[in-house]
Amino acid sequence: MTPAGRLAFGLAAAVLAADQAVKAWILYGLNLPLRLSVEVLGPLRLTMVWNEGVSFGFLQARHDLARWGLTVFALLVALALAAWARQADRRLLGVSLGLIIGGAVGNAIDRARFGAVADFIDVSALGFFPWVFNIADSAITIGVILMLLDSFRRETPPAR
């Protein structure tokens, strides 16, 4: 495995651990499902939303077949990205793959456990972003952006 691949797997594990730890605190420590919403600071609120759809609530999946289909799809994507990560030769690509893998697995765990993804980060008071999201969603989004940036990098031929 390449150094970028090891970076990807380490980052995926860190994202997954952080995502699941914060979700456990939100659900059982803060007990947000009963409180529904808590002001934090400025435009940031913690608001409990059970997302049965894909990212940011698109394509709602309220049937078990769709739930498990989305779970399996996320895990297959994570496995395909993990295979790619093993061969990754650029640090930025490793970071992007790690973020996406960790986020995809984190949300897949929610779907398998709860039938929906636990979303709670709410910055809708800013006025331009109405969706409630979580750490896994953030990691996936940042990972995709970094992957796009990496794709625009010019390949430099190895020195001879």
Side-chain angles (χ1 to χ4, degrees):
M1 182 181 325
T2 66
R6 285 191 292 279
L7 174 64
F9 283 102
L11 188 54
V15 166
L16 178 58
D19 176 66
Q20 292 298 298
V22 171
K23 285 175 181 170
W25 176 74
I26 288 291
L27 295 173
Y28 307 112
L30 186 59
N31 205 7
L32 195 59
L34 290 179
R35 298 174 76 181
L36 299 179
S37 191
V38 175
E39 286 192 39
V40 177
L41 180 66
L44 176 62
R45 297 180 63 83
L46 298 177
T47 302
M48 191 69 229
V49 173
W50 289 103
N51 179 0
E52 295 176 333
V54 187
S55 294
F56 303 114
F58 294 115
L59 304 173
Q60 291 296 307
R62 292 193 170 96
H63 300 286
D64 265 357
L65 180 61
R67 165 195 175 185
W68 291 108
L70 287 172
T71 303
V72 169
F73 177 74
L75 293 174
L76 289 174
V77 167
L79 284 172
L81 293 176
W84 184 9
R86 292 179 55 79
Q87 310 301 319
D89 58 352
R90 293 179 310 281
R91 185 176 180 88
L92 185 58
L93 180 59
V95 169
S96 68
L97 290 169
L99 289 169
I100 297 168
I101 293 165
V105 173
N107 281 344
I109 288 171
D110 282 11
R111 262 185 223 296
R113 286 182 65 201
F114 308 118
V117 174
D119 288 338
F120 51 88
I121 302 170
D122 181 357
V123 291
S124 60
L126 291 173
F128 61 88
F129 194 83
W131 300 283
V132 178
F133 57 99
N134 63 38
I135 290 171
D137 296 335
S138 300
I140 292 167
T141 301
I142 293 167
V144 168
I145 291 167
L146 293 177
M147 186 180 287
L148 288 171
L149 289 174
D150 182 71
S151 74
F152 290 121
R153 291 177 46 151
R154 283 192 177 193
E155 292 294 321
T156 55
R160 292 186 180 232

